[in-house]
């Protein structure tokens, strides 16, 4: 399956890992999430996360105890944190 860039619609996209900076749901601070699955367009040079990855990060941050997260965490470590709820019951998009 060929992926198209979400910005320029060209298909010259590669998958990389990169750091992203995310504000916690309570707005108290931002954290760095290292090694996050990322897409990079070789035509327009845009670097971004897919909508699926963004939703996974937002849901996970909403469902865990964010006080246990330091200033920096890897994507895999974040996704392995135990959830306080099984799913985001406030997400009506699905």
């Amino acid at each position: 399956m060929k992926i198209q860039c979400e910005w320029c619609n060209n298909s010259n996209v590669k998958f990389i890992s990169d750091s992203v900076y995310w504000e916690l749901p309570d707005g108290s601070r931002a954290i760095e999430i290292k090694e996050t699955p990322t897409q990079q367009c070789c035509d327009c040079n845009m670097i971004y996360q897919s909508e699926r990855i963004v939703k996974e990060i937002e849901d996970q941050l909403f469902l865990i105890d964010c006080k246990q997260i330091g200033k920096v965490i890897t994507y895999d470590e974040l996704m392995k944190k135990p959830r306080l709820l099984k799913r985001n019951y406030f997400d009506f998009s699905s």
Side-chain angles (χ1 to χ4, degrees):
M1 179 175 97
K2 200 115 180 166
I3 301 294
Q4 283 189 320
C5 174
E6 293 181 18
W7 298 91
C8 71
N9 294 324
N10 288 327
S11 57
N12 194 8
V13 175
K14 64 181 179 180
F15 294 95
I16 62 173
S17 294
D18 204 1
S19 287
V20 296
Y21 299 89
W22 223 272
E23 184 177 351
L24 296 180
D26 66 1
S28 62
R29 62 191 172 102
I31 60 170
E32 178 181 2
I33 306 171
K34 291 186 169 195
E35 301 171 20
T36 303
T38 301
Q39 296 174 6
Q40 179 179 18
C41 179
C42 297
D43 292 330
C44 72
N45 295 318
M46 186 58 80
I47 298 173
Y48 59 94
Q49 290 68 48
S50 68
E51 289 183 31
R52 181 183 64 82
I53 295 296
V54 169
K55 181 161 177 32
E56 285 179 6
I57 292 171
E58 289 180 350
D59 282 348
Q60 185 70 351
L61 288 173
F62 187 72
L63 296 172
I64 64 172
D65 181 4
C66 291
K67 294 175 190 142
Q68 297 181 359
I69 300 175
K71 293 180 181 181
V72 179
I73 191 168
T74 68
Y75 175 81
D76 287 337
E77 290 171 337
L78 176 64
M79 291 302 135
K80 290 178 183 173
K81 291 276 186 196
R83 292 180 168 193
L84 301 173
L85 296 171
K86 290 183 181 182
R87 65 182 203 77
N88 184 351
Y89 295 101
F90 301 102
D91 178 9
F92 302 107
S93 64
S94 44

